Amino acid sequence: MKLSASGRENFYFYLFIMPWLIGFIIFALYPIAASLFYSFTDYDIISSPKFVGLANYQELFQDDLFYKSIWVTFKYTIISVPLTLILSLIFAMLINQKIPAKGFFRTAMYFPSMVSGVSMSLLWFWIFNPQIGFFNYILSWFGVKPQLWFLDEHLALWALIIMSFWGMGAGMLIFLAALQGVPASLLEAAKLDGASRWSTFWNVTFPMISPIFLFQLIMAIIESFQVFTPAYVMTQGGPNYSTRFYVYHLYESAFKNFRLGYASAMAWLLLIAVLIITYIIMKTSNRYVYYEGGKES
């Protein structure tokens, strides 16, 4: 059967996307569907899954460690995300100025974000070492005694929050690209009108980069909800569960306690939480996000 020109185009289109489509079905769509099914079962990998309905979800809301992991993740998010966004924007604005060796500083700021999570965790584990750590050495200049960072339940989470600033280079680079897209004519007009630097930033620069800020905010929140590697490598969720993040609790439920059904239920609750929070942010973003042609309706 001879195909028409449009038919041949369609044939070649599906032929070329077939490898991706097969990979998506096998490695993405099927695992998602399987995890939804397992969330309604009692499954320990060895034996066949047994359907238990909503029992896993009911048990979650009676699990003290489940609430503890939510609280730890919430504290991390509410502190780390705003500080990381603000610092990323500040450094982007500094590098956006006419300074010598701008390319070097841009590369130096971005480079740490390329380091893998495990390598970064091991590096910071040394930095926060109670005896020979660089951080305690700096504190000693100000007369502060050495701190047992990862051995103190009141400091361990703060250490991980400080560590999170290490990867702000990627966000800085995105903000820098947005700042370079702000029309110079608007900045010059504000300067001629006698606007201060803060007024220029708040009324000209920020509205122009607000869509990028919205994107960065959503991505940072989603990323903070999925913190796992630092807790796994450095603290094992301790001391006294002070760094037991939600995803770390999910991991232990699945691969230490072999409760895959329970862990799958946790994963779906995480997805629902991310969707709800993203929806709320998008619905309220019209208060501070501006697009071309004016404020978003």
Side-chain angles (χ1 to χ4, degrees), residues 247-269:
V247 174
Y248 183 81
H249 184 49
L250 188 156
Y251 161 80
E252 282 213 332
S253 299
F255 300 108
K256 285 193 175 181
N257 301 329
F258 297 104
R259 302 193 60 196
L260 265 72
Y262 186 81
S264 296
M266 286 188 65
W268 277 92
L269 285 183

Side-chain angles (χ1 to χ4, degrees), residues 1-296:
M1 179 179 176
K2 190 175 181 179
L3 297 174
S4 63
S6 61
R8 284 197 301 272
E9 287 183 3
N10 290 335
F11 171 76
Y12 286 122
F13 168 76
Y14 288 111
L15 179 65
F16 284 123
I17 70 166
M18 191 60 66
W20 176 88
L21 194 60
I22 294 173
F24 174 76
I25 293 173
I26 295 175
F27 298 111
L29 195 59
Y30 172 73
I32 291 172
S35 71
L36 179 60
F37 168 73
Y38 289 141
S39 71
F40 298 105
T41 66
D42 181 10
Y43 183 42
D44 61 1
I45 301 179
I46 299 173
S47 57
S48 300
K50 298 176 183 178
F51 186 78
V52 294
L54 297 175
N56 287 324
Y57 294 92
Q58 293 172 346
E59 185 180 348
L60 275 173
F61 294 103
Q62 299 171 356
D63 183 0
D64 291 337
L65 287 181
F66 171 72
Y67 291 107
K68 181 68 176 178
S69 66
I70 292 177
W71 176 239
V72 169
T73 305
F74 173 77
K75 285 195 296 183
Y76 180 88
T77 301
I78 207 69
I79 299 171
S80 174
V81 169
L83 290 178
T84 301
L85 288 177
I86 292 171
L87 289 174
S88 298
L89 182 54
I90 289 173
F91 279 107
M93 294 181 68
L94 289 174
I95 295 177
N96 195 42
Q97 305 300 313
K98 294 180 179 179
I99 57 174
K102 183 190 299 186
F104 168 77
F105 289 113
R106 183 169 58 232
T107 304
M109 284 294 301
Y110 177 71
F111 183 77
S113 63
M114 298 174 63
V115 181
S116 70
V118 174
S119 301
M120 183 178 66
S121 299
L122 292 174
L123 173 64
W124 279 91
F125 192 77
W126 174 82
I127 291 175
F128 283 111
N129 186 285
Q131 278 120 10
I132 59 172
F134 181 73
F135 210 83
N136 276 340
Y137 176 68
I138 296 296
L139 292 178
S140 68
W141 295 354
F142 304 95
V144 179
K145 64 180 182 179
Q147 302 295 316
L148 304 175
W149 292 98
F150 294 123
L151 300 176
D152 188 336
E153 62 181 283
H154 302 294
L155 294 177
L157 184 61
W158 282 102
L160 296 185
I161 290 171
I162 294 171
M163 173 184 160
S164 69
F165 302 151
W166 180 258
M168 67 182 176
M172 179 274 299
L173 205 63
I174 296 174
F175 275 131
L176 180 61
L179 289 170
Q180 292 178 346
V182 177
S185 57
L186 295 179
L187 300 175
E188 291 174 2
K191 186 176 181 180
L192 290 174
D193 286 341
S196 64
R197 289 188 177 183
W198 171 252
S199 181
T200 301
F201 168 78
W202 190 248
N203 296 294
V204 179
T205 304
F206 185 78
M208 294 297 296
I209 68 170
S210 56
I212 302 300
F213 182 86
L214 175 64
F215 167 77
Q216 294 267 63
L217 174 63
I218 292 174
M219 296 304 295
I221 290 176
I222 294 174
E223 185 178 350
S224 69
F225 280 6
Q226 301 179 72
V227 173
F228 168 74
T229 304
Y232 177 75
V233 174
M234 304 165 76
T235 64
Q236 296 290 301
N240 195 24
Y241 306 115
S242 60
T243 59
R244 193 179 183 86
F245 292 98
Y246 189 91
V247 174
Y248 183 81
H249 184 49
L250 188 156
Y251 161 80
E252 282 213 332
S253 299
F255 300 108
K256 285 193 175 181
N257 301 329
F258 297 104
R259 302 193 60 196
L260 265 72
Y262 186 81
S264 296
M266 286 188 65
W268 277 92
L269 285 183
L270 177 61
L271 173 63
I272 293 170
V274 167
L275 291 175
I276 292 173
I277 291 174
T278 302
Y279 175 78
I280 292 172
I281 292 174
M282 292 296 295
K283 290 298 289 185
T284 58
S285 64
N286 60 343
R287 300 178 184 178
Y288 59 88
V289 175
Y290 291 75
Y291 293 95
E292 187 175 354
K295 203 173 188 178
E296 185 190 32

